[in-house]
Amino acid sequence: MIRRWSPNKINPAVTILFFGRRIGRKKKKTASISFSIKPTRDKTEILIRLHEKIVCLSKKVEVNNLVFSLLISENKQKAKAMINLNNVHKSYVMGNNKLHVLKGIDLHIEQGDFVSIMGSSGSGKSTLLNILGMLDNYDEGSYYLNGTLIANMSEKKAAQYRNEMVGFVFQSFNLISFKNAMENVALPLYYKGVSRKKRNLMAMEYLDKLGLREWAGHMPNEMSGGQKQRVAIARALIAQPKIILADEPTGALDTATSYEVMEILKEINGDGITVIIVTHEHDIAAMTRQIVRLKDGLIHEIIRNGELKEFRHAYMKELETV
């Protein structure tokens, strides 16, 4: 049982005391763990370090550390930030003019989150998505993706990291017109050097998951908008990315098909993949777990958890009024 521990006090030395019983002995023994840690380190690191020490000592001492393990689990989850943007700025030079698009974006997205980015035309949605997908550079600030600082990367290094981490879904599908569905889905694996036989087998698996196995040999012009978007989603998933970035994934689809696509994205998110979509549709945004609203290059508000119910209710009222 843990007897003394002050997790909120970040001291140069941290000590935890607990009581246990040495294996094979009835007499109780007191065991303690102490180690030095820099005062600047946060509580999460202290928890992880303590857990490592307890695991080593628990081979000699029986310890009831269930509560502590739960604390470790919770704080490890908090530590897993997929995206961290700090004061990010982006400008474009157009002739003699300079257009300041992003004016200091601070954004934190957890691993496994489902986020929509909304805003009027010119608010900076697409620019932000391009920076998140390493398709464009930022001017100031910092961007950490899965703990890696994305800055001053060569095009080759950025492309390699992008292929490992990110899958893209676009409004216009971006399928290659002279390749069939299977070949389109398999394309990311071609750039990874996977053999044709293996990548085609994997492409068939992903098409099957999305209900398109029978359409594997069809060309894009033979498919509906919803089918094309499912092929595009399969292509985004085949390289097993940690993030899916979707730019208006339902923009070219009717309402029923849009909802089908969103259900697919929900399932993908349920598997632990972080999903970020840009949309101007309120009903689509309401299906995500967090809404980031941009206005004039800044984050105007973030709607999450319980607040989403109010957002959905307000949207339904808006529809009724219309």
Side-chain angles (χ1 to χ4, degrees):
M1 181 176 65
I2 296 173
R3 300 288 294 178
R4 177 166 64 82
W5 176 48
S6 301
N8 293 318
K9 294 178 181 178
I10 311 300
N11 298 319
V14 180
T15 302
I16 180 171
L17 288 179
F18 58 88
F19 291 92
R21 181 173 62 83
R22 288 192 180 277
I23 297 171
R25 296 187 184 182
K26 292 181 180 178
K27 189 177 179 181
K28 286 185 177 179
K29 296 285 183 180
T30 302
S32 68
I33 298 171
S34 68
F35 58 91
S36 297
I37 192 165
K38 292 180 181 178
T40 54
R41 300 299 172 89
D42 63 12
K43 184 174 74 174
T44 298
E45 181 172 341
I46 291 175
L47 283 167
I48 293 168
R49 291 280 303 279
L50 286 172
H51 185 257
E52 290 170 354
K53 295 282 184 180
I54 281 185
V55 169
C56 291
L57 196 62
S58 64
K59 293 176 182 178
K60 297 179 181 178
V61 180
E62 292 176 353
V63 182
N64 180 9
N65 65 342
L66 176 61
V67 176
F68 186 77
S69 295
L70 290 173
L71 264 170
I72 289 290
S73 176
E74 180 185 348
N75 280 274
K76 276 185 177 178
Q77 281 296 107
K78 288 180 181 177
K80 288 181 180 178
M82 183 56 69
I83 287 171
N84 258 320
L85 295 176
N86 299 300
N87 194 34
V88 167
H89 290 254
K90 178 64 180 177
S91 299
Y92 294 99
V93 177
M94 305 176 72
N96 296 324
N97 300 318
K98 189 176 182 181
L99 182 62
H100 199 174
V101 181
L102 299 181
K103 303 172 183 177
I105 297 290
D106 293 302
L107 184 61
H108 176 92
I109 296 175
E110 299 285 343
Q111 178 181 330
D113 211 344
F114 192 8
V115 180
S116 54
I117 300 172
M118 298 190 75
S120 58
S121 180
S123 61
K125 303 188 302 295
S126 295
T127 301
L128 177 57
L129 200 71
N130 287 340
I131 288 172
L132 294 178
M134 295 173 281
L135 297 172
D136 204 351
N137 297 316
Y138 54 94
D139 302 327
E140 293 178 41
S142 63
Y143 168 30
Y144 287 86
L145 176 58
N146 199 31
T148 299
L149 177 62
I150 307 300
N152 303 318
M153 283 186 174
S154 65
E155 285 188 18
K156 185 178 179 180
K157 188 176 179 181
Q160 286 174 344
Y161 197 57
R162 184 167 56 241
N163 289 341
E164 290 173 15
M165 292 293 299
V166 185
F168 293 92
V169 179
F170 302 96
Q171 177 180 350
S172 55
F173 320 124
N174 287 9
L175 301 179
I176 297 174
S177 60
F178 55 86
K179 289 189 178 292
N180 62 33
M182 181 187 67
E183 291 166 336
N184 268 286
V185 172
L187 196 60
L189 299 182
Y190 169 80
Y191 294 109
K192 285 193 167 188
V194 178
S195 68
R196 178 180 291 183
K197 184 178 179 180
K198 187 175 179 180
R199 66 176 183 257
N200 286 347
L201 282 171
M202 289 180 69
M204 289 299 292
E205 285 177 21
Y206 278 89
L207 284 171
D208 192 31
K209 286 179 183 178
L210 290 164
L212 290 173
R213 189 178 186 86
E214 294 177 0
W215 291 82
H218 288 252
M219 307 300 277
N221 62 1
E222 298 172 330
M223 293 183 277
S224 67
Q227 288 170 329
K228 288 178 188 177
Q229 195 60 292
R230 279 188 281 166
V231 171
I233 291 170
R235 181 183 60 191
L237 289 173
I238 197 168
Q240 300 177 336
K242 287 185 168 55
I243 303 177
I244 293 291
L245 298 179
D247 190 3
E248 298 281 4
T250 61
L253 307 175
D254 59 64
T255 304
T257 309
S258 295
Y259 290 173
E260 286 175 12
V261 167
M262 285 304 294
E263 285 302 318
I264 291 169
L265 291 176
K266 278 184 184 179
E267 288 176 18
I268 292 166
N269 178 243
D271 292 334
I273 298 175
T274 306
V275 179
I276 303 170
I277 69 170
V278 164
T279 183
H280 64 276
E281 299 169 277
H282 289 75
D283 54 339
I284 296 301
M287 295 180 188
T288 63
R289 292 206 300 267
Q290 182 173 314
I291 300 171
V292 178
R293 281 182 175 273
L294 295 185
K295 187 176 182 181
D296 299 327
L298 290 165
I299 293 178
H300 178 61
E301 65 176 336
I302 297 178
I303 305 169
R304 56 168 70 89
N305 300 333
E307 296 168 356
L308 273 171
K309 291 181 180 177
E310 295 177 19
F311 176 83
R312 293 185 186 108
H313 180 69
Y315 172 69
M316 291 307 294
K317 273 198 163 185
E318 190 180 307
L319 277 182
E320 288 170 8
T321 306
V322 172

